């Protein structure tokens, strides 16, 4: 944790009380709890059973992730998650459970051309590459050059062969109409869903920040949409919990784009984790389900 | 990023080195490209259906090996792919030796092998290549892939 004690400003409390009346205390308590540790097994290199067996002999203990057979919750370990031979060899990726959901919802298939617009550090890119069995193409873009290096290192470690790493503003994909079968837009956000990982995020709560980022996300949505083929699918996700960056963005986008419709996300275990006034989407509140806060919506082009 | 397809002669040389050094037959589907001066990458045919020149590409496909003059060194992932089917110059090492290498240490071990770079196979899997000094194996794992501390 980067901050010794979480600080929740009055403006933070007021804002979230308005979104979840009567649940604020539970929400704040959940933000103080550390996240469950989870890993995603790289089935291109090893089966979940074999990895479990290898690490169990070293004293590790696991619990299953109910919605994803390739992932494991780490209940007990004897080394940092990133300090094992298995990690170095790309047998697993340390990834929070919520972050595994957007690729599962997008469900990329072998042979498809996929854009991962804001890809670094590559948890979702490597997951999609695995799901595609290294067949087809993923364009994994990120704006920061330093972030692109981290992305490339993770792709190499995980053995993702079908990825083109690009560097630049994701909005430029608007210049390439109908290029992609599927798009994952895991947009830059205020990250209030990740407070359990970094308490200092709570201290930074600021309406100006989420309004600024919401505008940035709108632009990305608009431009990525242009790059999507007809009948194509796009998943929009963030690790934040403001309505402005999530449901409001999607609702506004649907209002302006008659060729877009929202698809209902049917994922086992998340039937009751729905967006605010947007029942097709998923919104994960950390006090309702023991994960990082997240928002996921799926859009389909007519 | 500049990428240039290897000339037939250069690609044949890689193919030959893989066969001679590791007894590995390079798959026909591998399209070899230089990304930079001496790093050989394997790219997919499908990549070229996209306007690569406009996308500001940093890397693509996977890094197979470094090849320059007489240096031919497989990447970690290259060693993992080649090592699965290699018939020679693959050395079995213990888990402890793998740990030493992954932490950046060289290990003392008789190799009995001729290749300059040998594939190292631990009980968990292939961890990359090491430089063969007959009685010593020099760590070739890049600093950013090493484990720095054990906690």
């Amino acid at each position: 944790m980067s901050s010794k004690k979480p600080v929740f400003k009055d403006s933070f409390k007021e804002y979230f009380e308005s979104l979840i009346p009567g649940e604020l205390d539970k929400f704040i308590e959940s933000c103080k709890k550390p996240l469950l540790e989870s890993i995603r097994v790289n089935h291109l290199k090893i089966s979940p059973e074999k990895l479990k067996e290898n690490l169990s002999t070293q004293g590790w203990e696991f619990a299953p992730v109910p919605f994803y057979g390739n992932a494991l919750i780490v209940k007990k370990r004897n080394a940092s998650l990133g300090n094992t031979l298995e990690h170095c060899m790309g047998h697993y990726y340390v990834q929070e459970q919520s972050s595994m959901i957007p690729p599962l919802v997008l469900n990329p298939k072998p042979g498809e051309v996929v854009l991962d617009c804001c890809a670094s550090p590559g948890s979702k890119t490597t997951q999609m590459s695995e799901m595609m069995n290294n067949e087809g193409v993923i364009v994994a873009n990120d704006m920061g050059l330093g972030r692109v290096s981290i992305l490339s290192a993770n792709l190499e470690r995980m053995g993702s062969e079908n990825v083109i790493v690009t560097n630049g503003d994701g909005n430029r994909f608007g210049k390439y109409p109908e290029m992609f079968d599927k798009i994952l837009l895991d947009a830059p956000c205020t990250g209030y869903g990740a407070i359990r990982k970094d308490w200092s995020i709570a201290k930074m709560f600021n309406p100006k920040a989420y309004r600024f980022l919401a505008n940035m996300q709108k632009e990305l949505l608009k431009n990525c949409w242009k790059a999507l083929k007809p009948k194509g699918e796009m998943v929009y996700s963030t690790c934040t919990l403001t309505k402005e960056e999530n449901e409001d963005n999607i609702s506004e986008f649907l209002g302006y784009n008659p060729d877009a419709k929202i698809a209902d996300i049917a994922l086992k275990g998340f039937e009751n984790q729905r967006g605010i006034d947007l029942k097709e989407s998923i919104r994960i509140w950390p006090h309702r389900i023991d994960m990082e806060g997240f928002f996921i919506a799926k859009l389909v082009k007519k | 990023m500049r990428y240039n397809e290897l000339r037939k002669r250069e690609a044949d040389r890689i193919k030959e080195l893989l066969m001679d050094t590791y007894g590995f037959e390079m798959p026909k589907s591998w399209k070899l490209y230089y990304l930079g001066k001496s790093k050989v990458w394997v790219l997919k045919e499908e990549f070229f259906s996209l306007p690569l020149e406009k996308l500001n590409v940093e890397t693509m496909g996977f890094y197979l090996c470094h090849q320059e003059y007489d240096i031919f060194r497989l990447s970690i992932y290259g060693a993992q792919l080649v090592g699965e089917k290699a018939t020679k110059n693959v050395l079995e090492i213990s888990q402890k030796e793998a740990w030493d290498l992954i932490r950046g240490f060289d290990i003392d071990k008789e190799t009995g092998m001729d290749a300059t770079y040998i594939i190292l196979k631990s009980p968990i899997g292939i961890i990359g290549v090491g430089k063969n000094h007959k009685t010593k194996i020099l760590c070739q794992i890049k600093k950013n892939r090493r484990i720095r501390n054990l906690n």
Side-chain angles (χ1 to χ4, degrees):
Chain A
M1 290 282 167
S2 57
S3 176
K4 278 179 189 167
K5 265 186 181 176
V7 177
F8 299 98
K9 293 180 185 176
D10 288 343
S11 56
F12 178 95
K13 290 178 185 169
E14 279 161 27
Y15 180 84
F16 284 104
E17 175 65 32
S18 72
L19 292 189
I20 37 169
E23 293 181 54
L24 182 70
D25 290 345
K26 281 184 188 164
F27 171 57
I28 284 184
E29 276 315 301
S30 73
C31 289
K32 294 176 186 169
K33 272 174 49 187
L35 278 166
L36 292 175
E37 292 180 327
S38 51
I39 58 173
R40 178 173 49 78
V41 185
N42 183 2
H43 74 76
L44 294 174
K45 293 193 177 185
I46 196 166
S47 68
E49 295 73 28
K50 183 69 187 151
L51 178 73
K52 226 169 126 175
E53 189 188 311
N54 288 348
L55 290 170
S56 296
T57 58
Q58 299 166 43
W60 291 46
E61 286 172 18
F62 301 97
V65 170
F67 62 90
Y68 193 25
N70 278 347
L72 297 164
I73 294 168
V74 182
K75 304 290 275 185
K76 191 182 159 198
R77 57 179 167 81
N78 60 4
S80 316
L81 291 172
N83 270 358
T84 65
L85 275 177
E86 289 81 357
H87 182 265
C88 290
M89 290 161 64
H91 288 185
Y92 67 85
Y93 196 106
V94 181
Q95 187 174 0
E96 214 286 317
Q97 291 180 77
S98 304
S99 143
M100 299 174 197
I101 299 172
L104 292 178
V105 172
L106 189 64
N107 195 19
K109 299 269 181 0
E112 288 179 334
V113 180
V114 179
L115 171 64
D116 186 354
C117 187
C118 310
S120 189
S123 49
K124 298 174 193 74
T125 317
T126 52
Q127 186 181 347
M128 291 196 292
S129 178
E130 252 189 88
M131 292 170 80
M132 294 166 78
N133 214 14
N134 266 336
E135 291 167 31
V137 184
I138 300 174
V139 175
N141 180 72
D142 210 281
M143 201 165 170
L145 198 54
R147 289 172 61 81
V148 162
S149 310
I150 297 166
L151 170 64
S152 299
N154 279 324
L155 293 172
E156 190 183 348
R157 184 172 63 82
M158 298 300 279
S160 303
E161 300 179 5
N162 62 335
V163 183
I164 301 173
V165 177
T166 65
N167 175 222
D169 183 353
N171 285 307
R172 75 192 194 286
F173 289 100
K175 287 189 276 181
Y176 310 112
E178 301 181 1
M179 188 188 278
F180 299 98
D181 298 304
K182 287 180 178 165
I183 295 178
L184 175 62
L185 174 55
D186 186 46
C189 65
T190 45
Y192 300 131
I195 292 173
R196 295 174 69 178
K197 211 154 53 183
D198 181 357
W199 286 338
S200 68
I201 296 170
K203 213 160 55 180
M204 291 187 282
F205 181 81
N206 180 354
K208 272 187 194 165
Y210 65 69
R211 283 183 203 123
F212 171 79
L213 281 157
N215 285 329
M216 187 194 274
Q217 292 150 357
K218 278 175 202 160
E219 280 301 297
L220 283 168
L221 263 167
K222 188 176 84 185
N223 285 305
C224 284
W225 190 251
K226 289 180 192 165
L228 188 65
K229 288 178 184 171
K231 314 270 181 212
E233 294 173 352
M234 179 156 100
V235 165
Y236 174 83
S237 61
T238 71
C239 62
T240 199
L241 294 167
T242 65
K243 195 163 172 275
E244 288 78 358
E245 293 175 86
N246 295 320
E247 290 89 345
D248 288 358
N249 268 348
I250 295 297
S251 300
E252 191 183 314
F253 178 80
L254 290 167
Y256 281 116
N257 290 278
D259 62 343
K261 63 173 186 182
I262 187 161
D264 188 40
I265 301 175
L267 192 64
K268 209 180 156 198
F270 296 89
E271 293 84 357
N272 300 319
Q273 314 300 326
R274 293 302 183 173
I276 302 164
D277 307 326
L278 198 65
K279 301 301 171 201
E280 298 87 349
S281 62
I282 290 180
R283 169 182 272 266
I284 297 170
W285 287 101
H287 62 290
R288 291 184 189 167
I289 188 161
D290 195 0
M291 293 182 189
E292 183 177 272
F294 235 85
F295 174 82
I296 304 125
K298 184 177 183 177
L299 303 163
V300 181
K301 204 170 196 174
K302 290 176 189 164
Chain B
M1 172 63 71
R2 284 180 61 188
Y3 53 93
N4 300 306
E5 187 169 7
L6 269 68
R7 290 187 212 115
K8 188 174 180 307
R9 183 172 45 83
E10 293 167 326
D12 285 347
R13 175 77 183 131
I14 300 283
K15 200 174 163 184
E16 195 182 290
L17 282 165
L18 286 169
M19 179 50 81
D20 291 351
T21 318
Y22 303 110
F24 175 83
E25 189 162 348
M26 192 176 92
K28 286 189 178 119
S29 61
W30 284 13
K31 306 285 171 213
L32 304 181
Y33 281 76
Y34 281 124
L35 259 73
K37 267 165 91 180
S38 49
K39 286 188 168 185
V40 178
W41 288 64
V42 178
L43 308 189
K44 288 189 176 279
E45 199 90 61
E46 298 100 297
F47 291 170
F48 298 95
S49 64
L50 298 174
L52 297 176
E53 66 289 353
K54 294 176 185 166
L55 292 179
N56 199 19
V57 174
E58 283 295 319
T59 60
M60 50 184 167
F62 69 90
Y63 172 36
L64 176 68
C65 62
H66 176 102
Q67 210 265 313
E68 196 175 16
Y69 307 111
D70 58 341
I71 302 169
F72 172 65
R73 189 181 60 230
L74 290 169
S75 67
I76 294 179
Y77 186 57
Q80 287 172 344
L81 285 179
V82 171
E84 276 175 21
K85 292 179 182 166
T87 56
K88 52 186 170 178
N89 289 311
V90 178
L91 183 72
E92 298 216 349
I93 58 169
S94 68
Q95 191 138 334
K96 187 198 169 292
E97 288 165 334
W99 266 110
D100 286 343
L101 285 162
I102 213 94
R103 286 158 64 211
F105 298 112
D106 303 330
I107 54 172
D108 293 320
K109 194 176 177 82
E110 287 281 347
T111 67
M113 291 173 181
D114 294 328
T116 311
Y117 293 97
I118 53 178
I119 294 173
L120 302 169
K121 190 175 185 180
S122 80
I124 292 167
I126 290 160
I127 68 157
V129 294
K131 194 165 188 183
N132 179 14
H133 272 210
K134 304 291 179 193
T135 57
K136 202 176 176 84
I137 299 164
L138 304 186
C139 171
Q140 299 294 304
I141 296 168
K142 282 192 292 184
K143 283 187 181 158
N144 67 350
R145 294 287 296 267
R146 291 181 195 166
I147 293 177
R148 285 182 197 88
N149 59 61
L150 294 176
N151 299 313

